[in-house]
Amino acid sequence: MRRFILQRVVSIIVTLWLLATIVFAIVNVLPGNVGRKVLGPLAQQKDVDRLNHAVGADRPLIRQYFTSLRRMFTFDFGKTYKSGGKTPVMDIVLPALGRSAKLAVLAFVITIPISIGAGLYAARRQDKFADRAIVTTGLSTSAIPEFVTATMLLAVFAYKLGWGKAFADPRKGTSFFGQFEYLILPALAMAIAYFGYIARMTRSGVISALQADYTRTAVMKGLTPRQVMWRHILRNALAPTIVVISTQVGYLIGGIIGVEKVFNYHGLGSTMLSAVNTHDIPILQASVLIVGVIYMVASLVADLLIAVLNPRVRLEGAR
């Protein structure tokens, strides 16, 4: 297990280095002068040059690249360009990350049990009406972008029926449970989008496990249906579902940008979008790398869960 974990950690480090390099290359291809973007078109050139020097935007690209790598490993991303090099990047990114995390966690809390339960229910009724209804519904909802679903929920529930909030940012002092009313509609928008994929993977895995030799052997040994389901079927069938859930963490950030925009929610997605518009490279780099770290950690946790459920994966991965 130690060797298995070490290989995954090394893979994470290499992946993050590649991610940092790609982000650096992309943001330096973006047109525009940093100082001019921040100060506006009417600012004097000397003020623009002074700001570029203060934030290091006038340094050679190779120095900026190594600075970005150092920041990745130290998690010190410097100061924001928009503040003129005065406000630390993490003072902007971490609160935004916390707000997005609340929304993402609520979406997963809604999605995962419902999707797994629906996939299991469909697999037990293969090719019947319930199975076809769940599969068709999952395919339909997965094909609709999150921001479209968010707009429909906003129009129907918030405006027409008065359920939930049109603006998802809770007021200051709102209790933990009081925030649920603000976050439920954007969380549902993401849950609807990711329901189908998780449910279909669960269904596929359970059907394969039901038809496997070890399931027939367990039944012939006299185990009860509950014992067969928990000890044999789910233990093997949920491996692809766990992989899918871990990959959804990465897709979640892409979808959350549109959802946050629709509900005027100031999370990490809107922060990244604002950083692109203002050419605030440190905020953009910090946001993307933090998302990468979260995605890599989610993948590592998924690998460990699969290795615990299926020792063959652990042994094969350690070779």
Side-chain angles (χ1 to χ4, degrees), residues 80-284:
T80 67
Y81 287 175
K82 191 175 182 179
S83 67
K86 297 178 181 179
T87 305
V89 169
M90 299 307 284
D91 288 354
I92 303 295
V93 173
L94 288 182
L97 176 63
R99 289 189 289 269
S100 290
K102 288 191 292 186
L103 181 57
V105 168
L106 180 58
F108 273 126
V109 167
I110 296 172
T111 307
I112 292 174
I114 294 177
S115 301
I116 293 177
L120 180 60
Y121 185 84
R124 297 289 297 273
R125 292 156 181 80
Q126 185 179 3
D127 296 330
K128 295 182 179 179
F129 174 78
D131 177 31
R132 295 194 180 107
I134 291 173
V135 172
T136 303
T137 302
L139 287 171
S140 302
T141 56
S142 299
I144 303 175
E146 293 90 336
F147 69 90
V148 175
T149 306
T151 304
M152 294 171 59
L153 293 177
L154 181 68
V156 174
F157 290 97
Y159 285 125
K160 293 289 185 182
L161 301 178
W163 299 348
K165 299 291 185 180
F167 298 98
D169 268 331
R171 297 176 181 176
K172 289 185 178 180
T174 304
S175 65
F176 177 79
F177 292 103
Q179 296 181 30
F180 180 81
E181 184 181 7
Y182 290 85
L183 299 178
I184 183 61
L185 288 182
L188 277 175
M190 291 186 290
I192 291 171
Y194 301 129
F195 161 80
Y197 197 20
I198 298 175
R200 294 200 313 274
M201 290 302 295
T202 303
R203 172 187 177 275
S204 177
V206 171
I207 289 175
S208 298
L210 285 170
Q211 298 172 351
D213 292 337
Y214 56 79
T215 301
R216 286 191 286 268
T217 302
V219 173
M220 293 173 63
K221 289 170 61 178
L223 297 181
T224 64
R226 180 181 293 272
Q227 290 174 325
V228 173
M229 179 62 66
W230 286 100
R231 293 183 186 179
H232 299 276
I233 295 177
L234 290 182
R235 190 179 183 91
N236 292 276
L238 289 183
T241 304
I242 294 172
V243 174
V244 167
I245 292 173
S246 69
T247 58
Q248 295 301 309
V249 174
Y251 295 126
L252 188 68
I253 300 300
I256 210 171
I257 296 176
V259 173
E260 288 181 357
K261 195 69 175 176
V262 171
F263 285 95
N264 196 29
Y265 188 67
H266 296 91
L268 189 61
S270 59
T271 300
M272 294 170 64
L273 187 61
S274 175
V276 172
N277 293 331
T278 59
H279 208 78
D280 206 330
I281 295 173
I283 286 185
L284 184 60

